[in-house]
Amino acid sequence: MSRSIEQTLGGAILAAMLVAASPVKADDLSLADKIALLITAYPETLLKSESGSIFFPDGGSSPIDDGKAKDHAAKLAAGDIEDSLSQIYPAGACETKPDVNFDPGRIRSDALMMRLYGASTEQVEASLVSVDWFGKKLRVTKRQGAAAALEKVRDELRAMPDMKTFLAPSAGTFNWRKVAGASNMPVHSFGAAIDINTQYADYWIWSGGKPGRVPHYKNRYPMKIIDAFERHGFIWGGRWYHYDTMHFEYRPELIAIGKAAGVSACR
Ligand SMILES: [Zn+2]
Protein backbone atom coordinates (compact mmCIF):
# COMPACT_ATOMS: atom_id res chain seq x y z
CA MET A 1 0.00 0.00 0.00
CA SER A 2 1.45 3.35 -0.95
CA ARG A 3 1.94 5.96 1.69
CA SER A 4 -0.58 8.36 0.20
CA ILE A 5 -3.36 5.72 0.13
CA GLU A 6 -2.47 4.83 3.72
CA GLN A 7 -2.79 8.48 4.72
CA THR A 8 -6.09 8.83 2.90
CA LEU A 9 -7.48 5.69 4.56
CA GLY A 10 -6.22 6.85 7.94
CA GLY A 11 -7.95 10.18 7.41
CA ALA A 12 -11.21 8.50 6.43
CA ILE A 13 -11.12 6.23 9.48
CA LEU A 14 -10.36 9.17 11.76
CA ALA A 15 -13.23 11.15 10.22
CA ALA A 16 -15.59 8.19 10.72
CA MET A 17 -14.50 7.87 14.35
CA LEU A 18 -15.13 11.56 14.94
CA VAL A 19 -18.62 11.25 13.45
CA ALA A 20 -19.34 8.26 15.70
CA ALA A 21 -18.00 10.04 18.77
CA SER A 22 -19.95 13.25 18.28
CA PRO A 23 -23.32 12.64 16.66
CA VAL A 24 -25.20 15.69 15.45
CA LYS A 25 -27.41 16.89 18.28
CA ALA A 26 -31.11 16.99 17.52
CA ASP A 27 -31.06 20.79 17.75
CA ASP A 28 -28.26 21.00 15.18
CA LEU A 29 -30.50 19.59 12.46
CA SER A 30 -32.07 22.60 10.77
CA LEU A 31 -35.68 22.77 9.70
CA ALA A 32 -34.43 22.80 6.09
CA ASP A 33 -32.56 19.51 6.75
CA LYS A 34 -35.71 17.97 8.21
CA ILE A 35 -37.87 19.17 5.32
CA ALA A 36 -35.40 17.69 2.82
CA LEU A 37 -35.70 14.31 4.59
CA LEU A 38 -39.50 14.63 4.66
CA ILE A 39 -39.61 15.19 0.90
CA THR A 40 -37.27 12.24 0.32
CA ALA A 41 -39.52 9.99 2.43
CA TYR A 42 -42.62 10.63 0.28
CA PRO A 43 -41.43 10.99 -3.35
CA GLU A 44 -44.87 9.93 -4.63
CA THR A 45 -46.48 13.14 -3.38
CA LEU A 46 -43.91 15.69 -2.18
CA LEU A 47 -42.18 17.60 -4.96
CA LYS A 48 -40.10 20.36 -3.39
CA SER A 49 -40.00 23.05 -0.73
CA GLU A 50 -39.88 26.68 -1.77
CA SER A 51 -40.71 29.98 -0.07
CA GLY A 52 -41.79 28.30 3.17
CA SER A 53 -44.17 25.82 1.55
CA ILE A 54 -44.13 22.23 0.36
CA PHE A 55 -45.33 21.73 -3.20
CA PHE A 56 -47.34 18.84 -4.64
CA PRO A 57 -47.32 17.51 -8.23
CA ASP A 58 -50.73 19.13 -8.99
CA GLY A 59 -49.31 22.59 -8.25
CA GLY A 60 -50.91 22.84 -4.81
CA SER A 61 -48.88 23.65 -1.72
CA SER A 62 -48.99 23.54 2.06
CA PRO A 63 -47.26 26.03 4.39
CA ILE A 64 -44.47 24.53 6.52
CA ASP A 65 -45.02 26.91 9.46
CA ASP A 66 -48.35 28.57 10.26
CA GLY A 67 -46.52 31.16 12.37
CA LYS A 68 -48.62 30.48 15.47
CA ALA A 69 -47.00 29.95 18.88
CA LYS A 70 -48.37 26.72 20.39
CA ASP A 71 -47.95 24.72 23.57
CA HIS A 72 -47.80 20.91 23.39
CA ALA A 73 -51.59 20.45 23.57
CA ALA A 74 -52.13 23.00 20.80
CA LYS A 75 -49.52 21.30 18.61
CA LEU A 76 -51.31 17.97 19.11
CA ALA A 77 -54.67 19.53 18.26
CA ALA A 78 -53.57 21.52 15.20
CA GLY A 79 -49.97 20.83 14.26
CA ASP A 80 -48.37 22.27 11.16
CA ILE A 81 -45.58 20.55 9.23
CA GLU A 82 -42.86 22.20 11.33
CA ASP A 83 -44.57 21.10 14.57
CA SER A 84 -44.83 17.52 13.27
CA LEU A 85 -41.02 17.39 12.92
CA SER A 86 -40.19 19.22 16.16
CA GLN A 87 -39.53 16.17 18.37
CA ILE A 88 -36.82 13.76 17.21
CA TYR A 89 -37.86 10.08 17.29
CA PRO A 90 -35.27 7.72 18.84
CA ALA A 91 -35.24 4.30 17.13
CA GLY A 92 -33.43 1.12 18.16
CA ALA A 93 -33.96 -2.18 19.97
CA CYS A 94 -33.89 -0.51 23.40
CA GLU A 95 -36.75 0.64 25.58
CA THR A 96 -37.09 4.35 26.35
CA LYS A 97 -38.99 5.96 29.22
CA PRO A 98 -40.44 9.09 27.60
CA ASP A 99 -40.09 12.45 29.35
CA VAL A 100 -43.16 14.57 30.07
CA ASN A 101 -44.83 15.56 26.80
CA PHE A 102 -42.22 13.80 24.67
CA ASP A 103 -44.52 12.38 21.99
CA PRO A 104 -42.41 12.20 18.80
CA GLY A 105 -44.75 11.53 15.87
CA ARG A 106 -47.97 12.13 17.80
CA ILE A 107 -47.97 15.69 16.52
CA ARG A 108 -49.12 15.62 12.87
CA SER A 109 -50.26 17.98 10.17
CA ASP A 110 -53.72 16.81 9.10
CA ALA A 111 -53.37 18.84 5.89
CA LEU A 112 -50.17 17.00 4.97
CA MET A 113 -51.56 13.57 5.93
CA MET A 114 -54.62 14.17 3.73
CA ARG A 115 -52.31 15.03 0.83
CA LEU A 116 -50.27 11.88 1.40
CA TYR A 117 -53.17 9.44 1.80
CA GLY A 118 -56.52 11.04 0.87
CA ALA A 119 -58.81 13.68 2.32
CA SER A 120 -61.95 11.60 2.84
CA THR A 121 -62.85 8.04 3.74
CA GLU A 122 -63.64 7.37 0.04
CA GLN A 123 -60.29 8.75 -1.13
CA VAL A 124 -58.35 6.75 1.44
CA GLU A 125 -60.35 3.57 0.75
CA ALA A 126 -59.53 3.80 -2.97
CA SER A 127 -55.88 3.00 -2.14
CA LEU A 128 -56.38 0.28 0.47
CA VAL A 129 -54.97 -3.15 -0.33
CA SER A 130 -55.14 -6.42 1.56
CA VAL A 131 -52.13 -7.43 3.66
CA ASP A 132 -52.00 -10.90 5.18
CA TRP A 133 -51.20 -10.60 8.89
CA PHE A 134 -50.65 -14.02 10.43
CA GLY A 135 -53.72 -15.57 8.78
CA LYS A 136 -56.01 -12.52 8.80
CA LYS A 137 -56.45 -9.92 6.05
CA LEU A 138 -55.80 -6.31 6.99
CA ARG A 139 -56.69 -3.24 4.92
CA VAL A 140 -53.65 -0.99 4.51
CA THR A 141 -52.93 1.90 2.14
CA LYS A 142 -50.56 1.18 -0.70
CA ARG A 143 -49.76 4.87 -0.97
CA GLN A 144 -46.26 6.02 0.01
CA GLY A 145 -45.21 2.34 0.11
CA ALA A 146 -46.93 1.75 3.46
CA ALA A 147 -48.48 -1.67 2.67
CA ALA A 148 -45.23 -2.91 1.10
CA ALA A 149 -43.31 -1.78 4.20
CA LEU A 150 -45.77 -3.59 6.49
CA GLU A 151 -45.30 -6.77 4.46
CA LYS A 152 -41.55 -6.52 5.00
CA VAL A 153 -42.10 -6.15 8.76
CA ARG A 154 -44.42 -9.17 8.70
CA ASP A 155 -41.92 -11.30 6.77
CA GLU A 156 -39.19 -10.54 9.33
CA LEU A 157 -41.46 -11.24 12.29
CA ARG A 158 -42.73 -14.46 10.71
CA ALA A 159 -39.21 -15.79 11.06
CA MET A 160 -39.57 -15.42 14.86
CA PRO A 161 -42.42 -17.85 15.70
CA ASP A 162 -42.37 -17.01 19.43
CA MET A 163 -43.44 -13.42 18.57
CA LYS A 164 -46.78 -14.37 16.98
CA THR A 165 -48.71 -14.23 20.25
CA PHE A 166 -47.82 -10.52 20.61
CA LEU A 167 -48.69 -9.68 17.00
CA ALA A 168 -51.96 -11.46 16.26
CA PRO A 169 -54.81 -10.93 16.18
CA SER A 170 -54.26 -7.34 15.08
CA ALA A 171 -56.62 -4.90 16.79
CA GLY A 172 -57.04 -3.00 13.51
CA THR A 173 -55.56 -0.85 10.79
CA PHE A 174 -57.88 1.40 8.74
CA ASN A 175 -60.55 3.31 10.63
CA TRP A 176 -61.60 6.78 9.39
CA ARG A 177 -62.45 8.96 12.34
CA LYS A 178 -62.32 12.67 12.78
CA VAL A 179 -62.31 13.70 16.40
CA ALA A 180 -64.22 16.98 16.49
CA GLY A 181 -62.27 20.00 17.63
CA ALA A 182 -59.95 18.62 20.25
CA SER A 183 -57.52 16.37 18.40
CA ASN A 184 -55.82 15.70 15.10
CA MET A 185 -56.59 12.66 12.98
CA PRO A 186 -54.99 9.35 13.94
CA VAL A 187 -52.98 7.62 11.24
CA HIS A 188 -55.55 4.79 11.34
CA SER A 189 -57.78 7.20 9.39
CA PHE A 190 -55.28 7.03 6.54
CA GLY A 191 -54.78 3.25 6.58
CA ALA A 192 -51.10 3.61 7.50
CA ALA A 193 -51.19 2.40 11.13
CA ILE A 194 -51.59 -0.97 12.84
CA ASP A 195 -52.48 -2.03 16.37
CA ILE A 196 -51.09 -5.43 17.34
CA ASN A 197 -52.56 -7.87 19.91
CA THR A 198 -54.27 -5.81 22.64
CA GLN A 199 -53.72 -8.59 25.18
CA TYR A 200 -50.27 -7.14 25.92
CA ALA A 201 -51.16 -3.50 25.31
CA ASP A 202 -50.57 -0.61 27.66
CA TYR A 203 -52.36 2.59 26.71
CA TRP A 204 -52.23 5.68 28.89
CA ILE A 205 -56.02 6.19 28.80
CA TRP A 206 -56.82 2.51 29.56
CA SER A 207 -54.39 2.79 32.48
CA GLY A 208 -56.62 5.50 33.96
CA GLY A 209 -54.98 8.59 32.45
CA LYS A 210 -56.67 11.90 31.79
CA PRO A 211 -55.36 15.00 30.01
CA GLY A 212 -52.70 16.40 32.36
CA ARG A 213 -52.35 13.15 34.30
CA VAL A 214 -50.49 10.29 32.62
CA PRO A 215 -50.01 7.00 34.56
CA HIS A 216 -46.59 5.32 34.90
CA TYR A 217 -45.08 4.05 31.69
CA LYS A 218 -45.31 0.33 31.03
CA ASN A 219 -44.48 -1.95 28.08
CA ARG A 220 -44.96 -5.71 27.65
CA TYR A 221 -43.92 -6.16 23.98
CA PRO A 222 -40.43 -7.54 23.20
CA MET A 223 -38.16 -4.91 21.70
CA LYS A 224 -37.26 -7.07 18.69
CA ILE A 225 -40.82 -6.43 17.43
CA ILE A 226 -40.35 -2.68 17.74
CA ASP A 227 -36.95 -2.91 16.05
CA ALA A 228 -38.43 -4.74 13.03
CA PHE A 229 -41.14 -2.10 12.56
CA GLU A 230 -38.73 0.81 12.95
CA ARG A 231 -36.28 -0.60 10.42
CA HIS A 232 -39.05 -0.43 7.82
CA GLY A 233 -40.21 3.12 8.55
CA PHE A 234 -42.80 2.67 11.31
CA ILE A 235 -42.70 4.54 14.59
CA TRP A 236 -43.97 3.03 17.87
CA GLY A 237 -46.53 4.53 20.25
CA GLY A 238 -44.50 3.04 23.10
CA ARG A 239 -41.97 5.87 22.71
CA TRP A 240 -44.61 8.45 23.64
CA TYR A 241 -45.26 10.06 27.02
CA HIS A 242 -48.92 9.49 26.13
CA TYR A 243 -48.01 5.86 25.50
CA ASP A 244 -49.92 3.45 23.24
CA THR A 245 -47.73 0.35 23.08
CA MET A 246 -49.85 -1.69 20.62
CA HIS A 247 -49.67 1.11 18.03
CA PHE A 248 -47.33 1.50 15.04
CA GLU A 249 -47.66 4.04 12.23
CA TYR A 250 -45.77 4.54 8.98
CA ARG A 251 -43.65 7.70 9.39
CA PRO A 252 -40.44 7.09 7.43
CA GLU A 253 -39.52 10.79 7.65
CA LEU A 254 -39.19 10.54 11.44
CA ILE A 255 -37.00 7.44 11.28
CA ALA A 256 -34.76 9.21 8.72
CA ILE A 257 -34.58 12.43 10.76
CA GLY A 258 -33.66 10.54 13.96
CA LYS A 259 -30.91 8.73 12.08
CA ALA A 260 -29.54 11.94 10.56
CA ALA A 261 -29.59 13.60 13.99
CA GLY A 262 -27.62 10.70 15.47
CA VAL A 263 -30.42 10.04 17.97
CA SER A 264 -30.84 6.45 19.18
CA ALA A 265 -32.99 4.67 21.76
CA CYS A 266 -29.90 2.72 22.81
CA ARG A 267 -27.92 5.58 24.34
ZN1 LIG B 1 -53.33 2.52 16.95
Side-chain angles (χ1 to χ4, degrees):
M1 190 182 290
S2 78
R3 190 165 165 76
S4 65
I5 290 173
E6 238 172 9
Q7 279 171 341
T8 309
L9 275 178
I13 291 166
L14 183 65
M17 282 169 68
L18 285 173
V19 168
S22 56
V24 182
K25 295 249 170 43
D27 298 340
D28 295 344
L29 210 62
S30 70
L31 180 58
D33 294 334
K34 292 178 185 174
I35 294 295
L37 290 165
L38 173 73
I39 291 171
T40 306
Y42 301 104
E44 181 185 315
T45 302
L46 306 187
L47 208 56
K48 60 175 180 178
S49 84
E50 211 173 81
S51 317
S53 288
I54 288 190
F55 285 81
F56 310 108
D58 65 2
S61 67
S62 206
I64 292 168
D65 184 357
D66 62 15
K68 292 179 194 155
K70 300 180 206 103
D71 63 11
H72 189 63
K75 283 183 185 177
L76 286 172
D80 59 23
I81 294 171
E82 180 212 14
D83 299 327
S84 76
L85 307 176
S86 59
Q87 295 184 329
I88 309 286
Y89 182 90
C94 305
E95 220 168 82
T96 42
K97 196 174 172 295
D99 288 337
V100 174
N101 286 341
F102 185 68
D103 288 324
R106 209 167 155 250
I107 300 166
R108 301 175 202 96
S109 157
D110 280 354
L112 179 66
M113 296 303 281
M114 287 180 175
R115 276 289 185 164
L116 295 175
Y117 297 108
S120 65
T121 183
E122 293 78 18
Q123 282 181 19
V124 174
E125 279 186 320
S127 298
L128 296 179
V129 295
S130 178
V131 171
D132 179 81
W133 189 259
F134 301 89
K136 284 256 167 67
K137 299 280 181 208
L138 303 180
R139 295 169 82 204
V140 181
T141 183
K142 66 179 177 189
R143 293 196 64 184
Q144 317 304 333
L150 187 62
E151 285 176 338
K152 284 184 188 160
V153 174
R154 176 206 61 206
D155 291 347
E156 272 193 35
L157 292 172
R158 237 185 213 159
M160 309 174 200
D162 52 330
M163 291 297 110
K164 191 185 165 185
T165 180
F166 298 102
L167 299 164
S170 159
T173 47
F174 170 65
N175 179 12
W176 180 269
R177 54 199 149 156
K178 186 149 179 106
V179 183
S183 182
N184 63 359
M185 292 189 71
V187 178
H188 289 287
S189 298
F190 303 105
I194 179 171
D195 293 332
I196 56 175
N197 189 353
T198 55
Q199 198 189 328
Y200 303 92
D202 292 286
Y203 177 43
W204 71 285
I205 290 177
W206 292 351
S207 302
K210 293 192 176 90
R213 195 170 60 86
V214 175
H216 279 299
Y217 177 80
K218 207 172 141 200
N219 168 47
R220 287 175 282 164
Y221 294 107
M223 290 309 294
K224 50 185 167 180
I225 291 177
I226 285 81
D227 186 43
F229 272 99
E230 289 177 345
R231 278 186 290 97
H232 295 290
F234 289 80
I235 62 164
W236 178 42
R239 303 243 190 249
W240 297 341
Y241 177 62
H242 297 88
Y243 55 88
D244 181 359
T245 64
M246 69 183 153
H247 176 88
F248 295 87
E249 63 185 60
Y250 188 62
R251 302 290 295 283
E253 78 280 24
L254 296 182
I255 299 290
I257 288 170
K259 212 175 270 179
V263 170
S264 164
C266 298
R267 269 187 222 129

